[in-house]
Amino acid sequence: MIPAVRRTGLLCALTATAALLPATPVPAAPPPAAPLRFGACPDSVPAPPPPARVECGRLSVPLDRSHPDGTHLRIAVSRIRASGPASERRGVLLVNPGGPGGSGLPYAVTKRAKLPERVRRSYDVIGFDPRGTGVSAPADCGPMGGLFDSPGPDPVPEGRAAGKAYLDTLRRTADDCARGVKNALPYLSTTETARDMDAIRAALGEPRIGFLGVSYGSYLGAAYAAQFPGRVGRMVLDSVVGPREWYDFDLLQSRALIRQRAVFFAWTARHGKRFGLGADGAAVRAAYQRVRDGLAKHPVDGFGAAEFDRTVYRALGRTERWAGLADGLRTYLRDGTTGPLRPEEPFDGAASRTYEAANRTVKCADGPAPTPARVMADIRRMRRLDPQPLLTGMEASVCAYWHHRPAHRTPLGSPKAPPVLLIASAHDPVTPIEGARALQRQLPGSRLVSLHNDYSHGVFASRGNGCVDGTAAAYLVDGTVPPADVHCSGPGLPTP
């Protein structure tokens, strides 16, 4: 049961009782860095509303920092300067949208547009494409074992032959990435991206960086705090992944998605006049299964079970997408077409191929891998939990056959870092709130802002919640650390 929530007397008493971030000593200066030279941005970066202006540059960093004179990568960086006067400036705020594999270069524009005005006035917002993503030496895994085939094979194997084929697909994906990424395989990692962040900080001439990381961005921020705790300014980690190995996280997410799908079924039934899929959750689930079974047996213009599961995976993470998913189910059952279920952008497009390649490469570079036997055992366990699980997010399964085997998991968090603000939706199925609670234990003095009665992924400057946004703005601009964890009331499920 969801606990009673409050906008907390905390917020009303922040100015009287909240702690302010202490003035921590500035760490020893690193070797001088060449300044970033900014100019025009690529077409992928939208223009912000005037008078704001976005500018872009490239920063050269070593592929392997143990060989600084060897191969270098060029990291793409974007910047929108603070809109307020110099007296209000708080420094730079690096932003990351998640992934791993997400392009962050346009995020300086798109996320900044949603930030509270006080934050926009106080910070230069800095986006960047992490190594292996976007235009920063993008990863290329070629066909990825047939991932982009249309229709793709059913992602939920049933039976010995299907299980063998599933593992063979993972093996071929790992082989394709080894051929495509080559000697960069060990170095497209979160640890190295955190070091690139510090190189960006140095090139901008800043003693510390502020950071806003969403989803995988929270993992990246925690990795930066582990390596450079004295260079952390004010850090907001939203929709927190948590300090788990990637494969364990993928399992946690898959179980949460099963729970979220049941909520979706019940919600759809409550709005039976709108959707017409059944009078209760069981009836809606049966309708859902008819759609999936039909597409598995007879794909429609390349849209089969794998494509359907990807659509469901994406829709379950944001409640504003639920009506579109329910409409798509009804449309297929009515006339056999799949238009409402199809993504706006093709899955086999260039940006998607880069994302998927970088995603697997980073996850497998970040820590130990499962064995093939464990992968299959966990699928059987998932099928006992639910006969039709969603395995789309089980990306780290491919690490079972990866050609590079890291010896250690990525260090996250540090007791030497200043207090960090963690933000989580109580029922987010993509990054379940358990991750935020676990990471908080590795960041002493940090605070968790929970949005109760909410079921979506991505909270700060995303859900339009004044309690969350006000707490985060006060932390970023004023350095106000709440005296205790903050509990905010969410919107509940939408009315279609």
Side-chain angles (χ1 to χ4, degrees):
M1 187 173 71
I2 298 173
V5 295
R6 56 201 185 279
R7 181 170 169 154
T8 58
L10 296 176
L11 291 183
C12 298
L14 278 176
T15 55
T17 62
L20 295 178
L21 284 176
T24 54
V26 176
L36 265 168
R37 299 186 182 278
F38 287 95
C41 291
D43 292 340
S44 61
V45 180
R53 186 171 65 88
V54 63
E55 50 190 356
C56 294
R58 298 287 188 114
L59 180 68
S60 179
V61 298
L63 172 67
D64 174 5
R65 283 181 164 83
S66 67
H67 295 89
D69 296 326
T71 301
H72 274 58
L73 310 176
R74 286 167 57 80
I75 304 299
V77 182
S78 58
R79 175 175 67 182
I80 304 179
R81 291 188 180 273
S83 60
S87 60
E88 295 183 24
R89 189 176 184 275
R90 296 292 182 268
V92 297
L93 183 70
L94 272 70
V95 293
N96 180 274
S103 169
L105 199 66
Y107 199 57
V109 178
T110 58
K111 189 63 178 181
R112 181 185 181 275
K114 301 176 183 178
L115 292 174
E117 183 180 3
R118 295 182 66 212
V119 178
R120 297 197 304 267
R121 292 178 62 85
S122 302
Y123 284 94
D124 296 350
V125 178
I126 309 296
F128 68 103
D129 279 347
R131 55 174 57 201
T133 74
V135 294
S136 295
D140 181 3
C141 287
M144 292 190 71
L147 179 66
F148 304 104
D149 292 351
S150 177
D154 193 319
V156 182
E158 184 176 0
R160 185 181 299 274
K164 183 178 179 181
Y166 182 87
L167 291 178
D168 183 63
T169 296
L170 297 181
R171 182 187 295 108
R172 288 187 289 114
T173 302
D175 291 346
D176 286 342
C177 286
R179 278 191 293 270
V181 181
K182 299 183 177 68
N183 64 331
L185 214 57
Y187 307 109
L188 301 188
S189 68
T190 299
T191 294
E192 290 301 329
T193 296
R195 291 169 179 165
D196 294 341
M197 285 171 54
D198 200 58
I200 293 171
R201 175 204 59 76
L204 293 171
E206 298 285 341
R208 299 183 185 87
I209 57 170
F211 183 74
L212 167 60
V214 182
S215 196
Y216 165 72
S218 68
Y219 187 94
L220 175 58
Y224 185 86
Q227 294 187 70
F228 307 103
R231 295 176 188 158
V232 174
R234 295 166 190 174
M235 180 175 283
V236 176
L237 305 181
D238 180 7
S239 303
V240 179
V241 168
R244 289 179 173 83
E245 293 175 7
W246 278 116
Y247 180 77
D248 292 333
F249 168 79
D250 290 352
L251 284 172
L252 179 72
Q253 183 191 81
S254 293
R255 290 191 290 267
L257 285 164
I258 290 174
R259 295 192 297 270
Q260 184 87 330
R261 190 177 59 184
V263 175
F264 165 76
F265 291 152
W267 173 84
T268 303
R270 284 198 300 273
H271 300 285
K273 290 184 178 179
R274 167 71 167 78
F275 300 116
L277 290 172
D280 56 27
V284 175
R285 182 190 174 100
Y288 171 96
Q289 194 65 51
R290 289 197 301 275
V291 174
R292 195 187 188 282
D293 289 347
L295 291 169
K297 293 178 182 176
H298 304 289
V300 177
D301 296 329
F303 193 91
E307 293 73 22
F308 176 77
D309 281 4
R310 279 197 292 268
T311 292
V312 175
Y313 176 84
R314 180 178 182 275
L316 289 180
R318 296 282 296 194
T319 54
E320 62 266 30
R321 298 172 184 155
W322 287 15
L325 175 59
D327 284 340
L329 298 175
R330 182 187 58 192
T331 298
Y332 175 82
L333 291 172
R334 183 183 61 206
D335 59 26
T337 61
T338 57
L341 294 172
R342 292 177 180 269
E344 293 181 5
E345 299 294 330
F347 182 63
D348 62 351
S352 177
R353 287 176 176 271
T354 296
Y355 177 93
E356 300 296 339
N359 176 282
R360 286 12 173 237
T361 303
V362 172
K363 283 191 170 186
C364 296
D366 277 358
T371 63
R374 184 187 172 191
V375 170
M376 294 312 300
D378 285 330
I379 290 176
R380 290 191 293 271
R381 290 188 191 98
M382 200 71 70
R383 288 182 61 87
R384 288 195 293 270
L385 181 64
D386 189 291
Q388 191 63 72
L390 273 171
L391 304 182
T392 301
M394 292 291 296
E395 297 126 345
S397 297
V398 74
C399 305
Y401 293 101
W402 211 246
H403 289 224
H404 164 67
R405 297 301 179 107
H408 307 287
R409 59 188 291 186
T410 304
L412 300 177
S414 169
K416 297 179 181 179
V420 169
L421 197 68
L422 308 170
I423 301 176
S425 167
H427 303 288
D428 175 2
V430 181
T431 52
I433 195 170
E434 299 97 302
R437 293 173 180 144
L439 185 60
Q440 187 179 22
R441 293 191 287 271
Q442 297 186 203
L443 291 163
S446 297
R447 298 289 183 259
L448 173 59
V449 181
S450 300
L451 183 61
H452 298 282
N453 199 23
D454 186 78
Y455 296 78
S456 287
H457 182 60
V459 182
F460 172 49
S462 178
R463 303 297 292 152
N465 185 275
C467 171
V468 172
D469 292 357
T471 302
Y475 168 83
L476 286 170
V477 177
D478 305 320
T480 303
V481 179
D485 289 347
V486 179
H487 299 271
C488 300
S489 297
L493 296 174
T495 299

